[in-house]
Amino acid sequence: VFRTASECIAAAKADGRQLWVTDLSQEAAPLCAHAAGEPALPRLAVVVGSEGAGVSKTMLAAADRRVFLPMCGFTESLNVSVAAALVLQRLLDRRDASGAPFGALPAAEAAALRARWYADLARSEEQLQLFLELATRGGAEPYLDTRRPEAFREEQ
């Protein structure tokens, strides 16, 4: 946790991250999932402000890029949780020229993160051993389809 915006900015920059800040000013560029001709995404720190006040002037001044979510109709802004979810989804939906998603972690970094996460997830020594074994095999297989089969749905 950072005590000031300046501390947060310094830490992000020290970690080699660009600051992309949400902003509703005329200086902001639309954030689109499929931005043709865009280079690969850099390492990012995304800053989303509150619906009323937005992002602090300190963050705006430090921003490498100011972005906004294009919207239709009469909506001028979104609540912060919705805005954050949409910004992250649009970034994750971007693809490189081969169709692969931007932002994939290098294998060694993903393995280290998975091992730490599994260790934190375990609620017993038995689970810890099971999870760490799973981590050494590369983790659990991701679901190809996250929708629930009809057999698992209960009548509401």
Side-chain angles (χ1 to χ4, degrees):
V1 177
F2 303 102
R3 290 187 298 260
T4 67
S6 297
E7 284 182 12
C8 179
I9 292 164
K13 297 292 184 178
D15 194 38
R17 297 183 184 276
Q18 282 191 16
L19 287 175
W20 284 26
V21 176
T22 59
D23 181 25
L24 293 177
S25 77
Q26 295 299 307
E27 296 176 38
L31 181 59
C32 302
H34 305 289
E38 286 264 341
L41 288 173
R43 287 176 53 94
L44 294 179
V46 177
V47 181
V48 181
S50 67
E51 182 177 0
V55 174
S56 72
K57 290 180 182 178
T58 303
M59 284 291 182
L60 287 171
D64 294 296
R65 187 168 186 179
R66 294 180 182 193
V67 297
F68 74 95
L69 294 166
M71 291 182 267
C72 298
F74 300 105
T75 304
E76 291 181 2
S77 63
L78 301 167
N79 116 344
V80 69
S81 65
V82 172
L86 290 173
V87 166
L88 294 175
Q89 189 62 55
R90 289 215 176 142
L91 292 171
L92 291 171
D93 284 345
R94 289 182 172 210
R95 301 280 190 250
D96 66 17
S98 73
F102 285 125
L105 291 175
E109 192 174 342
L113 180 61
R114 183 179 296 112
R116 280 197 317 270
W117 181 65
Y118 281 173
D120 289 344
L121 188 63
R123 295 183 182 197
S124 69
E125 187 60 35
E126 182 181 345
Q127 274 190 341
L128 177 61
Q129 294 310 312
L130 177 70
F131 291 168
L132 292 177
E133 179 185 329
L134 187 59
T136 61
R137 294 193 316 246
E141 286 293 317
Y143 290 115
L144 297 177
D145 186 348
T146 58
R147 297 170 295 170
R148 297 186 85 173
E150 288 301 320
F152 292 100
R153 293 181 180 273
E154 293 183 26
E155 287 294 322
Q156 298 287 331

